PDB file of all heavy atoms in Angstrom:
ATOM      1  N   GLY S 774     -15.247  16.346 -14.743  1.00 97.00           N
ATOM      2  CA  GLY S 774     -15.497  14.909 -14.672  1.00 97.00           C
ATOM      3  C   GLY S 774     -16.620  14.487 -15.610  1.00 97.00           C
ATOM      4  O   GLY S 774     -16.552  13.432 -16.241  1.00 97.00           O
ATOM      5  N   MET S 775     -17.637  15.326 -15.727  1.00 96.00           N
ATOM      6  CA  MET S 775     -18.753  15.063 -16.633  1.00 96.00           C
ATOM      7  C   MET S 775     -18.267  15.021 -18.078  1.00 96.00           C
ATOM      8  O   MET S 775     -18.660  14.142 -18.850  1.00 96.00           O
ATOM      9  CB  MET S 775     -19.812  16.160 -16.473  1.00 96.00           C
ATOM     10  CG  MET S 775     -20.970  16.014 -17.428  1.00 96.00           C
ATOM     11  SD  MET S 775     -21.750  17.579 -17.857  1.00 96.00           S
ATOM     12  CE  MET S 775     -20.505  18.323 -18.878  1.00 96.00           C
ATOM     13  N   GLU S 776     -17.399  15.963 -18.443  1.00 95.00           N
ATOM     14  CA  GLU S 776     -16.862  15.965 -19.803  1.00 95.00           C
ATOM     15  C   GLU S 776     -16.070  14.686 -20.083  1.00 95.00           C
ATOM     16  O   GLU S 776     -16.143  14.131 -21.181  1.00 95.00           O
ATOM     17  CB  GLU S 776     -15.991  17.203 -20.019  1.00 95.00           C
ATOM     18  CG  GLU S 776     -16.804  18.475 -20.100  1.00 95.00           C
ATOM     19  CD  GLU S 776     -15.948  19.729 -20.225  1.00 95.00           C
ATOM     20  OE1 GLU S 776     -14.707  19.658 -20.016  1.00 95.00           O
ATOM     21  OE2 GLU S 776     -16.529  20.782 -20.516  1.00 95.00           O
ATOM     22  N   ALA S 777     -15.342  14.202 -19.093  1.00 96.00           N
ATOM     23  CA  ALA S 777     -14.598  12.950 -19.256  1.00 96.00           C
ATOM     24  C   ALA S 777     -15.553  11.773 -19.429  1.00 96.00           C
ATOM     25  O   ALA S 777     -15.302  10.870 -20.228  1.00 96.00           O
ATOM     26  CB  ALA S 777     -13.667  12.719 -18.063  1.00 96.00           C
ATOM     27  N   GLU S 778     -16.666  11.780 -18.699  1.00 95.00           N
ATOM     28  CA  GLU S 778     -17.681  10.729 -18.865  1.00 95.00           C
ATOM     29  C   GLU S 778     -18.235  10.736 -20.287  1.00 95.00           C
ATOM     30  O   GLU S 778     -18.406   9.674 -20.895  1.00 95.00           O
ATOM     31  CB  GLU S 778     -18.835  10.935 -17.880  1.00 95.00           C
ATOM     32  CG  GLU S 778     -18.490  10.677 -16.442  1.00 95.00           C
ATOM     33  CD  GLU S 778     -19.587  11.127 -15.492  1.00 95.00           C
ATOM     34  OE1 GLU S 778     -20.668  11.573 -15.937  1.00 95.00           O
ATOM     35  OE2 GLU S 778     -19.345  11.040 -14.283  1.00 95.00           O
ATOM     36  N   LEU S 779     -18.515  11.917 -20.795  1.00 94.00           N
ATOM     37  CA  LEU S 779     -19.021  12.018 -22.167  1.00 94.00           C
ATOM     38  C   LEU S 779     -18.007  11.472 -23.166  1.00 94.00           C
ATOM     39  O   LEU S 779     -18.373  10.749 -24.093  1.00 94.00           O
ATOM     40  CB  LEU S 779     -19.381  13.469 -22.506  1.00 94.00           C
ATOM     41  CG  LEU S 779     -20.635  14.022 -21.856  1.00 94.00           C
ATOM     42  CD1 LEU S 779     -20.759  15.520 -22.108  1.00 94.00           C
ATOM     43  CD2 LEU S 779     -21.875  13.292 -22.340  1.00 94.00           C
ATOM     44  N   ARG S 780     -16.734  11.815 -22.979  1.00 92.00           N
ATOM     45  CA  ARG S 780     -15.685  11.312 -23.885  1.00 92.00           C
ATOM     46  C   ARG S 780     -15.615   9.787 -23.854  1.00 92.00           C
ATOM     47  O   ARG S 780     -15.345   9.154 -24.872  1.00 92.00           O
ATOM     48  CB  ARG S 780     -14.319  11.885 -23.504  1.00 92.00           C
ATOM     49  CG  ARG S 780     -14.070  13.291 -23.952  1.00 92.00           C
ATOM     50  CD  ARG S 780     -12.602  13.694 -23.825  1.00 92.00           C
ATOM     51  NE  ARG S 780     -12.034  13.509 -22.497  1.00 92.00           N
ATOM     52  CZ  ARG S 780     -12.119  14.379 -21.502  1.00 92.00           C
ATOM     53  NH1 ARG S 780     -12.767  15.507 -21.667  1.00 92.00           N
ATOM     54  NH2 ARG S 780     -11.558  14.124 -20.331  1.00 92.00           N
ATOM     55  N   ARG S 781     -15.844   9.204 -22.677  1.00 94.00           N
ATOM     56  CA  ARG S 781     -15.790   7.742 -22.544  1.00 94.00           C
ATOM     57  C   ARG S 781     -17.087   7.077 -22.988  1.00 94.00           C
ATOM     58  O   ARG S 781     -17.167   5.849 -23.027  1.00 94.00           O
ATOM     59  CB  ARG S 781     -15.478   7.360 -21.098  1.00 94.00           C
ATOM     60  CG  ARG S 781     -14.083   7.711 -20.641  1.00 94.00           C
ATOM     61  CD  ARG S 781     -13.714   7.070 -19.314  1.00 94.00           C
ATOM     62  NE  ARG S 781     -14.699   7.216 -18.268  1.00 94.00           N
ATOM     63  CZ  ARG S 781     -14.734   8.195 -17.363  1.00 94.00           C
ATOM     64  NH1 ARG S 781     -13.829   9.150 -17.395  1.00 94.00           N
ATOM     65  NH2 ARG S 781     -15.659   8.236 -16.436  1.00 94.00           N
ATOM     66  N   GLY S 782     -18.127   7.872 -23.279  1.00 94.00           N
ATOM     67  CA  GLY S 782     -19.402   7.308 -23.725  1.00 94.00           C
ATOM     68  C   GLY S 782     -20.266   6.771 -22.605  1.00 94.00           C
ATOM     69  O   GLY S 782     -21.131   5.924 -22.836  1.00 94.00           O
ATOM     70  N   VAL S 783     -20.061   7.251 -21.380  1.00 95.00           N
ATOM     71  CA  VAL S 783     -20.858   6.800 -20.234  1.00 95.00           C
ATOM     72  C   VAL S 783     -22.241   7.445 -20.325  1.00 95.00           C
ATOM     73  O   VAL S 783     -22.350   8.672 -20.318  1.00 95.00           O
ATOM     74  CB  VAL S 783     -20.172   7.180 -18.903  1.00 95.00           C
ATOM     75  CG1 VAL S 783     -21.029   6.773 -17.713  1.00 95.00           C
ATOM     76  CG2 VAL S 783     -18.787   6.557 -18.824  1.00 95.00           C
ATOM     77  N   PRO S 784     -23.305   6.652 -20.408  1.00 95.00           N
ATOM     78  CA  PRO S 784     -24.648   7.231 -20.527  1.00 95.00           C
ATOM     79  C   PRO S 784     -25.157   7.769 -19.189  1.00 95.00           C
ATOM     80  O   PRO S 784     -24.668   7.402 -18.126  1.00 95.00           O
ATOM     81  CB  PRO S 784     -25.503   6.052 -20.982  1.00 95.00           C
ATOM     82  CG  PRO S 784     -24.797   4.846 -20.467  1.00 95.00           C
ATOM     83  CD  PRO S 784     -23.329   5.194 -20.465  1.00 95.00           C
ATOM     84  N   SER S 785     -26.144   8.640 -19.276  1.00 96.00           N
ATOM     85  CA  SER S 785     -26.815   9.160 -18.085  1.00 96.00           C
ATOM     86  C   SER S 785     -28.295   8.789 -18.189  1.00 96.00           C
ATOM     87  O   SER S 785     -28.724   8.158 -19.147  1.00 96.00           O
ATOM     88  CB  SER S 785     -26.672  10.685 -17.999  1.00 96.00           C
ATOM     89  OG  SER S 785     -27.546  11.317 -18.912  1.00 96.00           O
ATOM     90  N   TYR S 786     -29.068   9.248 -17.240  1.00 96.00           N
ATOM     91  CA  TYR S 786     -30.503   8.980 -17.231  1.00 96.00           C
ATOM     92  C   TYR S 786     -31.198   9.553 -18.466  1.00 96.00           C
ATOM     93  O   TYR S 786     -32.168   8.989 -18.942  1.00 96.00           O
ATOM     94  CB  TYR S 786     -31.131   9.544 -15.955  1.00 96.00           C
ATOM     95  CG  TYR S 786     -32.609   9.279 -15.847  1.00 96.00           C
ATOM     96  CD1 TYR S 786     -33.082   8.016 -15.518  1.00 96.00           C
ATOM     97  CD2 TYR S 786     -33.521  10.292 -16.093  1.00 96.00           C
ATOM     98  CE1 TYR S 786     -34.436   7.767 -15.427  1.00 96.00           C
ATOM     99  CE2 TYR S 786     -34.880  10.048 -16.008  1.00 96.00           C
ATOM    100  CZ  TYR S 786     -35.333   8.785 -15.671  1.00 96.00           C
ATOM    101  OH  TYR S 786     -36.687   8.537 -15.599  1.00 96.00           O
ATOM    102  N   VAL S 787     -30.697  10.665 -19.001  1.00 96.00           N
ATOM    103  CA  VAL S 787     -31.357  11.301 -20.148  1.00 96.00           C
ATOM    104  C   VAL S 787     -30.771  10.892 -21.494  1.00 96.00           C
ATOM    105  O   VAL S 787     -31.250  11.329 -22.539  1.00 96.00           O
ATOM    106  CB  VAL S 787     -31.364  12.846 -20.028  1.00 96.00           C
ATOM    107  CG1 VAL S 787     -32.114  13.277 -18.789  1.00 96.00           C
ATOM    108  CG2 VAL S 787     -29.963  13.415 -20.067  1.00 96.00           C
ATOM    109  N   THR S 788     -29.737  10.067 -21.501  1.00 96.00           N
ATOM    110  CA  THR S 788     -29.156   9.616 -22.756  1.00 96.00           C
ATOM    111  C   THR S 788     -30.179   8.743 -23.484  1.00 96.00           C
ATOM    112  O   THR S 788     -30.688   7.777 -22.910  1.00 96.00           O
ATOM    113  CB  THR S 788     -27.862   8.817 -22.509  1.00 96.00           C
ATOM    114  OG1 THR S 788     -26.953   9.622 -21.754  1.00 96.00           O
ATOM    115  CG2 THR S 788     -27.217   8.378 -23.811  1.00 96.00           C
ATOM    116  N   GLU S 789     -30.485   9.127 -24.720  1.00 92.00           N
ATOM    117  CA  GLU S 789     -31.525   8.417 -25.461  1.00 92.00           C
ATOM    118  C   GLU S 789     -31.137   6.981 -25.805  1.00 92.00           C
ATOM    119  O   GLU S 789     -31.929   6.073 -25.638  1.00 92.00           O
ATOM    120  CB  GLU S 789     -31.891   9.197 -26.723  1.00 92.00           C
ATOM    121  CG  GLU S 789     -32.694  10.435 -26.399  1.00 92.00           C
ATOM    122  CD  GLU S 789     -33.230  11.113 -27.636  1.00 92.00           C
ATOM    123  OE1 GLU S 789     -33.383  10.448 -28.676  1.00 92.00           O
ATOM    124  OE2 GLU S 789     -33.496  12.323 -27.549  1.00 92.00           O
ATOM    125  N   ASP S 790     -29.931   6.774 -26.304  1.00 92.00           N
ATOM    126  CA  ASP S 790     -29.502   5.437 -26.712  1.00 92.00           C
ATOM    127  C   ASP S 790     -28.349   5.007 -25.808  1.00 92.00           C
ATOM    128  O   ASP S 790     -27.191   5.321 -26.068  1.00 92.00           O
ATOM    129  CB  ASP S 790     -29.068   5.441 -28.180  1.00 92.00           C
ATOM    130  CG  ASP S 790     -28.659   4.064 -28.674  1.00 92.00           C
ATOM    131  OD1 ASP S 790     -28.716   3.082 -27.892  1.00 92.00           O
ATOM    132  OD2 ASP S 790     -28.262   3.957 -29.857  1.00 92.00           O
ATOM    133  N   ILE S 791     -28.683   4.279 -24.741  1.00 91.00           N
ATOM    134  CA  ILE S 791     -27.646   3.899 -23.779  1.00 91.00           C
ATOM    135  C   ILE S 791     -26.686   2.852 -24.330  1.00 91.00           C
ATOM    136  O   ILE S 791     -25.639   2.605 -23.748  1.00 91.00           O
ATOM    137  CB  ILE S 791     -28.236   3.431 -22.432  1.00 91.00           C
ATOM    138  CG1 ILE S 791     -29.095   2.187 -22.614  1.00 91.00           C
ATOM    139  CG2 ILE S 791     -29.012   4.551 -21.777  1.00 91.00           C
ATOM    140  CD1 ILE S 791     -29.513   1.556 -21.308  1.00 91.00           C
ATOM    141  N   GLY S 792     -27.023   2.253 -25.450  1.00 90.00           N
ATOM    142  CA  GLY S 792     -26.142   1.279 -26.076  1.00 90.00           C
ATOM    143  C   GLY S 792     -25.166   1.903 -27.064  1.00 90.00           C
ATOM    144  O   GLY S 792     -24.263   1.232 -27.549  1.00 90.00           O
ATOM    145  N   ALA S 793     -25.325   3.191 -27.341  1.00 90.00           N
ATOM    146  CA  ALA S 793     -24.446   3.862 -28.296  1.00 90.00           C
ATOM    147  C   ALA S 793     -23.037   3.992 -27.714  1.00 90.00           C
ATOM    148  O   ALA S 793     -22.861   4.077 -26.498  1.00 90.00           O
ATOM    149  CB  ALA S 793     -24.991   5.243 -28.640  1.00 90.00           C
ATOM    150  N   GLU S 794     -22.051   3.990 -28.604  1.00 90.00           N
ATOM    151  CA  GLU S 794     -20.666   4.119 -28.163  1.00 90.00           C
ATOM    152  C   GLU S 794     -20.319   5.542 -27.752  1.00 90.00           C
ATOM    153  O   GLU S 794     -19.386   5.765 -26.987  1.00 90.00           O
ATOM    154  CB  GLU S 794     -19.712   3.648 -29.257  1.00 90.00           C
ATOM    155  CG  GLU S 794     -19.757   2.145 -29.461  1.00 90.00           C
ATOM    156  CD  GLU S 794     -18.727   1.674 -30.459  1.00 90.00           C
ATOM    157  OE1 GLU S 794     -17.672   2.315 -30.587  1.00 90.00           O
ATOM    158  OE2 GLU S 794     -18.988   0.657 -31.105  1.00 90.00           O
ATOM    159  N   THR S 795     -21.058   6.509 -28.269  1.00 90.00           N
ATOM    160  CA  THR S 795     -20.816   7.903 -27.916  1.00 90.00           C
ATOM    161  C   THR S 795     -22.092   8.510 -27.346  1.00 90.00           C
ATOM    162  O   THR S 795     -23.190   8.047 -27.619  1.00 90.00           O
ATOM    163  CB  THR S 795     -20.377   8.731 -29.149  1.00 90.00           C
ATOM    164  OG1 THR S 795     -21.418   8.684 -30.123  1.00 90.00           O
ATOM    165  CG2 THR S 795     -19.089   8.198 -29.745  1.00 90.00           C
ATOM    166  N   VAL S 796     -21.906   9.534 -26.554  1.00 92.00           N
ATOM    167  CA  VAL S 796     -23.026  10.269 -25.982  1.00 92.00           C
ATOM    168  C   VAL S 796     -22.927  11.696 -26.492  1.00 92.00           C
ATOM    169  O   VAL S 796     -21.885  12.342 -26.339  1.00 92.00           O
ATOM    170  CB  VAL S 796     -22.988  10.256 -24.438  1.00 92.00           C
ATOM    171  CG1 VAL S 796     -24.113  11.103 -23.869  1.00 92.00           C
ATOM    172  CG2 VAL S 796     -23.069   8.828 -23.913  1.00 92.00           C
ATOM    173  N   ALA S 797     -23.990  12.166 -27.109  1.00 91.00           N
ATOM    174  CA  ALA S 797     -23.998  13.523 -27.641  1.00 91.00           C
ATOM    175  C   ALA S 797     -24.097  14.525 -26.494  1.00 91.00           C
ATOM    176  O   ALA S 797     -24.853  14.324 -25.539  1.00 91.00           O
ATOM    177  CB  ALA S 797     -25.165  13.707 -28.601  1.00 91.00           C
ATOM    178  N   PHE S 798     -23.336  15.592 -26.603  1.00 94.00           N
ATOM    179  CA  PHE S 798     -23.412  16.668 -25.627  1.00 94.00           C
ATOM    180  C   PHE S 798     -24.729  17.411 -25.822  1.00 94.00           C
ATOM    181  O   PHE S 798     -25.139  17.677 -26.942  1.00 94.00           O
ATOM    182  CB  PHE S 798     -22.248  17.637 -25.837  1.00 94.00           C
ATOM    183  CG  PHE S 798     -22.259  18.777 -24.860  1.00 94.00           C
ATOM    184  CD1 PHE S 798     -21.608  18.678 -23.647  1.00 94.00           C
ATOM    185  CD2 PHE S 798     -22.929  19.941 -25.158  1.00 94.00           C
ATOM    186  CE1 PHE S 798     -21.623  19.718 -22.745  1.00 94.00           C
ATOM    187  CE2 PHE S 798     -22.962  20.992 -24.266  1.00 94.00           C
ATOM    188  CZ  PHE S 798     -22.303  20.889 -23.057  1.00 94.00           C
ATOM    189  N   SER S 799     -25.374  17.726 -24.726  1.00 94.00           N
ATOM    190  CA  SER S 799     -26.572  18.567 -24.762  1.00 94.00           C
ATOM    191  C   SER S 799     -26.713  19.255 -23.413  1.00 94.00           C
ATOM    192  O   SER S 799     -26.130  18.830 -22.413  1.00 94.00           O
ATOM    193  CB  SER S 799     -27.819  17.734 -25.058  1.00 94.00           C
ATOM    194  OG  SER S 799     -28.161  16.930 -23.949  1.00 94.00           O
ATOM    195  N   GLU S 800     -27.490  20.309 -23.389  1.00 95.00           N
ATOM    196  CA  GLU S 800     -27.736  20.992 -22.123  1.00 95.00           C
ATOM    197  C   GLU S 800     -28.508  20.084 -21.169  1.00 95.00           C
ATOM    198  O   GLU S 800     -28.333  20.172 -19.954  1.00 95.00           O
ATOM    199  CB  GLU S 800     -28.444  22.313 -22.363  1.00 95.00           C
ATOM    200  CG  GLU S 800     -27.522  23.333 -23.016  1.00 95.00           C
ATOM    201  CD  GLU S 800     -28.177  24.673 -23.270  1.00 95.00           C
ATOM    202  OE1 GLU S 800     -29.374  24.848 -22.952  1.00 95.00           O
ATOM    203  OE2 GLU S 800     -27.479  25.563 -23.786  1.00 95.00           O
ATOM    204  N   ASP S 801     -29.339  19.199 -21.704  1.00 96.00           N
ATOM    205  CA  ASP S 801     -30.033  18.241 -20.841  1.00 96.00           C
ATOM    206  C   ASP S 801     -29.042  17.287 -20.177  1.00 96.00           C
ATOM    207  O   ASP S 801     -29.194  16.942 -19.011  1.00 96.00           O
ATOM    208  CB  ASP S 801     -31.080  17.441 -21.628  1.00 96.00           C
ATOM    209  CG  ASP S 801     -32.327  18.245 -21.939  1.00 96.00           C
ATOM    210  OD1 ASP S 801     -32.514  19.324 -21.330  1.00 96.00           O
ATOM    211  OD2 ASP S 801     -33.119  17.789 -22.792  1.00 96.00           O
ATOM    212  N   GLU S 802     -28.033  16.855 -20.928  1.00 96.00           N
ATOM    213  CA  GLU S 802     -26.987  16.001 -20.344  1.00 96.00           C
ATOM    214  C   GLU S 802     -26.260  16.762 -19.240  1.00 96.00           C
ATOM    215  O   GLU S 802     -25.983  16.215 -18.176  1.00 96.00           O
ATOM    216  CB  GLU S 802     -25.983  15.529 -21.406  1.00 96.00           C
ATOM    217  CG  GLU S 802     -26.493  14.444 -22.320  1.00 96.00           C
ATOM    218  CD  GLU S 802     -26.581  13.063 -21.685  1.00 96.00           C
ATOM    219  OE1 GLU S 802     -26.067  12.832 -20.559  1.00 96.00           O
ATOM    220  OE2 GLU S 802     -27.172  12.184 -22.323  1.00 96.00           O
ATOM    221  N   VAL S 803     -25.956  18.035 -19.473  1.00 97.00           N
ATOM    222  CA  VAL S 803     -25.275  18.843 -18.458  1.00 97.00           C
ATOM    223  C   VAL S 803     -26.135  18.916 -17.204  1.00 97.00           C
ATOM    224  O   VAL S 803     -25.665  18.657 -16.089  1.00 97.00           O
ATOM    225  CB  VAL S 803     -24.963  20.263 -18.983  1.00 97.00           C
ATOM    226  CG1 VAL S 803     -24.422  21.141 -17.854  1.00 97.00           C
ATOM    227  CG2 VAL S 803     -23.979  20.210 -20.139  1.00 97.00           C
ATOM    228  N   ARG S 804     -27.396  19.262 -17.375  1.00 97.00           N
ATOM    229  CA  ARG S 804     -28.285  19.396 -16.214  1.00 97.00           C
ATOM    230  C   ARG S 804     -28.392  18.086 -15.429  1.00 97.00           C
ATOM    231  O   ARG S 804     -28.342  18.081 -14.196  1.00 97.00           O
ATOM    232  CB  ARG S 804     -29.669  19.857 -16.663  1.00 97.00           C
ATOM    233  CG  ARG S 804     -29.714  21.306 -17.082  1.00 97.00           C
ATOM    234  CD  ARG S 804     -31.143  21.733 -17.471  1.00 97.00           C
ATOM    235  NE  ARG S 804     -31.119  23.016 -18.109  1.00 97.00           N
ATOM    236  CZ  ARG S 804     -31.086  23.205 -19.425  1.00 97.00           C
ATOM    237  NH1 ARG S 804     -31.122  22.180 -20.255  1.00 97.00           N
ATOM    238  NH2 ARG S 804     -31.044  24.423 -19.927  1.00 97.00           N
ATOM    239  N   GLU S 805     -28.550  16.988 -16.136  1.00 97.00           N
ATOM    240  CA  GLU S 805     -28.675  15.693 -15.466  1.00 97.00           C
ATOM    241  C   GLU S 805     -27.390  15.316 -14.749  1.00 97.00           C
ATOM    242  O   GLU S 805     -27.394  14.929 -13.585  1.00 97.00           O
ATOM    243  CB  GLU S 805     -29.044  14.602 -16.481  1.00 97.00           C
ATOM    244  CG  GLU S 805     -29.010  13.196 -15.926  1.00 97.00           C
ATOM    245  CD  GLU S 805     -29.998  12.940 -14.799  1.00 97.00           C
ATOM    246  OE1 GLU S 805     -31.024  13.646 -14.706  1.00 97.00           O
ATOM    247  OE2 GLU S 805     -29.739  12.028 -13.991  1.00 97.00           O
ATOM    248  N   ARG S 806     -26.275  15.430 -15.433  1.00 97.00           N
ATOM    249  CA  ARG S 806     -24.996  14.999 -14.877  1.00 97.00           C
ATOM    250  C   ARG S 806     -24.510  15.912 -13.751  1.00 97.00           C
ATOM    251  O   ARG S 806     -23.762  15.488 -12.886  1.00 97.00           O
ATOM    252  CB  ARG S 806     -23.948  14.900 -15.979  1.00 97.00           C
ATOM    253  CG  ARG S 806     -24.230  13.752 -16.940  1.00 97.00           C
ATOM    254  CD  ARG S 806     -23.329  13.822 -18.159  1.00 97.00           C
ATOM    255  NE  ARG S 806     -23.699  12.842 -19.155  1.00 97.00           N
ATOM    256  CZ  ARG S 806     -23.212  11.610 -19.226  1.00 97.00           C
ATOM    257  NH1 ARG S 806     -22.334  11.208 -18.346  1.00 97.00           N
ATOM    258  NH2 ARG S 806     -23.614  10.799 -20.174  1.00 97.00           N
ATOM    259  N   MET S 807     -24.942  17.155 -13.771  1.00 96.00           N
ATOM    260  CA  MET S 807     -24.543  18.109 -12.733  1.00 96.00           C
ATOM    261  C   MET S 807     -25.573  18.185 -11.610  1.00 96.00           C
ATOM    262  O   MET S 807     -25.405  18.969 -10.678  1.00 96.00           O
ATOM    263  CB  MET S 807     -24.352  19.504 -13.352  1.00 96.00           C
ATOM    264  CG  MET S 807     -23.238  19.583 -14.388  1.00 96.00           C
ATOM    265  SD  MET S 807     -21.593  19.389 -13.693  1.00 96.00           S
ATOM    266  CE  MET S 807     -21.466  20.902 -12.754  1.00 96.00           C
ATOM    267  N   SER S 808     -26.593  17.365 -11.656  1.00 95.00           N
ATOM    268  CA  SER S 808     -27.681  17.462 -10.675  1.00 95.00           C
ATOM    269  C   SER S 808     -27.239  17.116  -9.252  1.00 95.00           C
ATOM    270  O   SER S 808     -27.915  17.477  -8.300  1.00 95.00           O
ATOM    271  CB  SER S 808     -28.868  16.595 -11.091  1.00 95.00           C
ATOM    272  OG  SER S 808     -28.524  15.223 -11.074  1.00 95.00           O
ATOM    273  N   GLY S 809     -26.127  16.472  -9.090  1.00 95.00           N
ATOM    274  CA  GLY S 809     -25.617  16.155  -7.758  1.00 95.00           C
ATOM    275  C   GLY S 809     -24.843  17.299  -7.122  1.00 95.00           C
ATOM    276  O   GLY S 809     -24.389  17.193  -5.996  1.00 95.00           O
ATOM    277  N   ASN S 810     -24.689  18.393  -7.859  1.00 96.00           N
ATOM    278  CA  ASN S 810     -23.999  19.572  -7.340  1.00 96.00           C
ATOM    279  C   ASN S 810     -25.032  20.677  -7.139  1.00 96.00           C
ATOM    280  O   ASN S 810     -25.557  21.221  -8.092  1.00 96.00           O
ATOM    281  CB  ASN S 810     -22.919  20.043  -8.313  1.00 96.00           C
ATOM    282  CG  ASN S 810     -21.751  19.104  -8.343  1.00 96.00           C
ATOM    283  OD1 ASN S 810     -21.803  18.068  -8.997  1.00 96.00           O
ATOM    284  ND2 ASN S 810     -20.704  19.447  -7.630  1.00 96.00           N
ATOM    285  N   LEU S 811     -25.302  20.976  -5.890  1.00 96.00           N
ATOM    286  CA  LEU S 811     -26.309  21.978  -5.563  1.00 96.00           C
ATOM    287  C   LEU S 811     -25.708  23.376  -5.514  1.00 96.00           C
ATOM    288  O   LEU S 811     -24.589  23.562  -5.049  1.00 96.00           O
ATOM    289  CB  LEU S 811     -26.948  21.658  -4.212  1.00 96.00           C
ATOM    290  CG  LEU S 811     -27.582  20.273  -4.081  1.00 96.00           C
ATOM    291  CD1 LEU S 811     -28.154  20.097  -2.686  1.00 96.00           C
ATOM    292  CD2 LEU S 811     -28.640  20.053  -5.142  1.00 96.00           C
TER     293      LEU S 811
END
Side-chain angles (χ1 to χ4, degrees):
M775 177 209 71
E776 289 176 348
E778 290 170 4
L779 287 171
R780 282 193 305 275
R781 291 192 312 268
V783 177
S785 76
Y786 181 75
V787 299
T788 304
E789 287 188 24
D790 182 1
I791 62 171
E794 290 185 29
T795 60
V796 176
F798 180 90
S799 72
E800 289 180 0
D801 285 346
E802 285 286 350
V803 173
R804 287 182 191 95
E805 172 62 24
R806 291 170 187 270
M807 297 291 292
S808 65
N810 289 80
L811 304 179

